């Protein structure tokens, strides 16, 4: 396909993307945008440095490859370089969405689907400021390298997203409801789910009272547990943070105990959703990588470069937000693993605690914070009074050790809006999730 230069490593990543975004704010159509783009990232490595070129004219790939090769210094030993040896050689096609491509759905059908949800809101007089967004994307990617890698795959989603304000109770409450599918037709049954979310938000707004600040036993919902795992531990597991930091390497030595023996955290690009990446942007196959196993640090996320630096194995986590960027170490779908007890058994011992149902945002490296959107009191093992909470927080490492219960239900959340940010690359599609997780000594304000 391409004439790769001798005595150098090179690869080519070609991407073709089609997207639709339709936005209706307070009943007014604000945006209906359909976009198609394509481009390629060409890389050449001579063992000392990388040379990059991002282009949109695919007919110029070979000339760009040749031009980069002219700049690089030929290296007869390039195949023995640790970074090149860390790269996998894969071949295959995983094009699972060709027969249900969202691009083949008429734009009028997408608009009609979004507009049909307006009737749900029409039944609630105290729900105002309704913003509705339909979005979809189909991405097809191919990675070819001088080592012999030649892989291609596609990703896609279709999503409807709603935000609104409930005017009830002591304070307005901002509600959000999101539905994410990998096929357009699966979105047709989302109106009842939206209705139930609105009813839940209304009941919350009407009855929520301020929390008494303090130290509580908390239960994180699967989506809250997922954002905790992503923000508080997932980023710590991205191996490029360790390069050149000897203190961090010692503190994060594989085999160290970092949490409760109930705790398992893994990252995988194998599962369908917004974290689905069957091959990373260096052509390495996705894997299920356990970051913590039974409370013990058992792995971290790698590109070929970080794997070579730390003497470990590439994990399929070299990712870029588009062809315009070089791949760096990023998460895919980061989850807390299932436990062995039911949700009811998890809640049962709690006499006075807090359940974090949904969240507005979260952050954390050494200290984590989560701003709940809906939270409730737990009394004698039962979810009762809705609570208004500004933030819950704690020391990350202490919190990992304070996990006292993990349910056997696991759910993962995918999202079409936003994503993960790192360095200059944002937003990157990721997913996260987990079971219901009980944690002691969470600070609540």
């Amino acid at each position: 396909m391409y004439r790769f230069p001798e005595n150098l490593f090179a690869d080519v990543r070609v991407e073709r993307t089609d997207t639709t975004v339709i936005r209706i704010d307070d009943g007014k159509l604000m945006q209906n945008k359909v976009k198609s783009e394509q481009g390629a990232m060409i890389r050449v490595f001579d063992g000392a440095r990388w040379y990059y070129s991002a282009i949109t004219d695919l007919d110029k790939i070979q000339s760009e490859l040749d031009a980069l090769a002219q700049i690089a210094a030929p290296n007869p030993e390039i195949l023995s370089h640790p970074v090149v040896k860390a790269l996998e050689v894969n071949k295959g096609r995983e094009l699972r969405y060709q027969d249900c491509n969202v691009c083949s759905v008429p734009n009028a059908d997408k608009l009609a689907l979004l507009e049909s949800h307006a009737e749900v809101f029409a039944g609630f007089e105290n729900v105002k400021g309704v913003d509705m967004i339909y979005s979809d994307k189909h991405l097809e990617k191919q990675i070819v390298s001088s080592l012999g890698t030649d892989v291609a795959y596609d990703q896609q989603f279709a999503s409807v997203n709603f935000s609104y304000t409930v005017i009830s109770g002591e304070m307005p409450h901002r509600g959000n409801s999101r539905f994410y599918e990998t096929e357009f037709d699966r979105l047709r049954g989302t109106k009842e789910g939206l209705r139930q979310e609105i009813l839940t938000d209304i009941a919350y707004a009407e009855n929520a009272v301020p929390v008494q600040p303090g130290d509580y036993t908390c239960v994180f919902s699967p989506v809250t547990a997922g954002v905790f795992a992503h923000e508080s531990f997932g980023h710590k597991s991205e191996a490029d943070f360790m390069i050149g930091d000897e203190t961090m390497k010692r503190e994060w030595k594989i085999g160290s105990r970092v949490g409760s023996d109930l705790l398992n955290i893994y990252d995988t690009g194998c599962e369908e959703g917004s974290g689905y990446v069957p091959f990373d942007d260096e052509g390495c196959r996705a894997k299920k990588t356990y970051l913590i196993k039974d409370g013990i640090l058992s792995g971290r996320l790698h590109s070929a470069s970080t794997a070579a630096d730390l003497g470990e194995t590439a994990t399929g986590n070299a990712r870029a937000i588009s062809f315009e960027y070089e791949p760096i170490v990023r998460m895919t779908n980061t989850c807390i693993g299932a436990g062995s007890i039911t949700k009811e058994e998890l809640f049962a011992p709690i006499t006075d605690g807090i359940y974090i149902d949904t969240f507005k945002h979260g952050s954390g490296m050494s200290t984590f914070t989560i701003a709940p959107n809906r939270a409730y009191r737990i009394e004698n093992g039962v979810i009762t009074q809705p609570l208004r909470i500004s933030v819950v927080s704690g020391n990350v490492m202490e919190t990992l050790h304070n996990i006292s219960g993990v349910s056997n239900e696991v759910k993962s959340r995918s999202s079409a809006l936003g994503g993960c940010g790192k360095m200059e690359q944002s937003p990157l599609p990721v997913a996260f999730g987990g079971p219901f997780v009980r944690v002691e000594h969470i600070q609540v304000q």
Side-chain angles (χ1 to χ4, degrees), residues 340-371:
S340 59
I341 61 175
T342 66
K343 175 184 175 182
E344 292 71 24
E345 291 170 330
L346 183 82
F347 278 80
I350 303 173
T351 57
D352 183 20
I354 292 175
Y355 171 55
I356 311 299
D357 183 21
T358 60
F359 70 93
K360 299 173 185 175
H361 54 80
S363 63
M365 283 293 276
S366 58
T367 299
F368 79 91
T369 60
I370 295 174

Side-chain angles (χ1 to χ4, degrees), residues 195-377:
R195 189 186 312 277
Q196 293 303 316
E197 276 291 299
I198 296 172
L199 288 169
T200 300
D201 281 320
I202 290 173
Y204 176 83
E206 290 177 345
N207 299 292
V209 298
V211 71
Q212 180 67 36
D215 179 303
Y216 288 89
T217 296
C218 289
V219 173
F220 293 165
S221 68
V223 65
T224 309
V227 75
F228 169 75
H230 175 99
E231 295 290 353
S232 299
F233 194 80
H235 281 297
K236 289 177 180 291
S237 298
E238 293 170 337
D240 50 354
F241 285 121
M242 294 188 177
I243 304 305
D245 189 333
E246 295 303 320
T247 300
M248 194 170 183
K249 288 179 184 178
R250 289 192 299 270
E251 291 178 349
W252 292 89
K253 183 179 179 181
I254 298 296
S256 304
R257 176 162 290 280
V258 293
S260 162
D261 58 9
L262 299 174
L263 179 62
N264 297 282
I265 299 180
Y266 63 86
D267 184 272
T268 178
C270 303
E271 299 176 2
E272 197 172 50
S274 53
Y276 172 66
V277 188
F279 300 96
D280 74 3
D281 287 333
E282 295 182 318
C284 293
R285 184 173 288 279
K287 301 166 183 65
K288 186 174 184 178
T289 303
Y290 272 92
L291 309 176
I292 300 176
K293 187 72 171 174
D294 301 327
I296 303 299
L297 188 68
S298 58
R300 45 184 146 250
L301 307 179
H302 281 297
S303 64
S305 178
T306 61
D309 281 339
L310 296 180
E312 297 175 5
T313 303
T315 58
N317 289 91
R319 304 183 62 196
I321 58 171
S322 79
F323 68 88
E324 298 173 282
Y325 294 86
E326 70 274 19
I328 57 177
V329 185
R330 305 298 297 270
M331 285 174 274
T332 54
N333 180 12
T334 309
C335 287
I336 295 179
S340 59
I341 61 175
T342 66
K343 175 184 175 182
E344 292 71 24
E345 291 170 330
L346 183 82
F347 278 80
I350 303 173
T351 57
D352 183 20
I354 292 175
Y355 171 55
I356 311 299
D357 183 21
T358 60
F359 70 93
K360 299 173 185 175
H361 54 80
S363 63
M365 283 293 276
S366 58
T367 299
F368 79 91
T369 60
I370 295 174
N373 197 37
R374 292 197 307 251
Y376 300 84
R377 184 177 301 282

Side-chain angles (χ1 to χ4, degrees), residues 178 230-231 330 415-421 425-430 432:
R178 301 178 178 184
H230 175 99
E231 295 290 353
R330 305 298 297 270
S415 179
L417 301 180
C420 181
Q425 297 199 39
S426 179
L428 182 76
V430 295
F432 47 76

Side-chain angles (χ1 to χ4, degrees), residues 1-2 12-16 38-41 58 61 139-144 323:
M1 178 179 289
Y2 305 114
V12 176
R13 184 175 87 244
V14 178
E15 300 180 10
R16 296 176 175 84
Q38 63 179 16
M41 166 62 73
L58 302 186
I61 291 176
L139 167 66
E140 190 168 325
K141 188 176 294 191
Q142 183 178 22
I143 300 105
V144 181
F323 68 88

Side-chain angles (χ1 to χ4, degrees), residues 135-171:
S135 60
D136 66 33
K137 179 178 181 178
H138 182 269
L139 167 66
E140 190 168 325
K141 188 176 294 191
Q142 183 178 22
I143 300 105
V144 181
S145 84
S146 58
L147 297 180
T149 285
D150 186 353
V151 298
Y153 69 93
D154 60 354
Q155 304 166 314
Q156 79 168 22
F157 71 82
S159 178
V160 284
N161 304 268
F162 309 94
S163 59
Y164 46 88
T165 300
V166 178
I167 309 298
S168 187
E170 295 184 12
M171 295 180 62

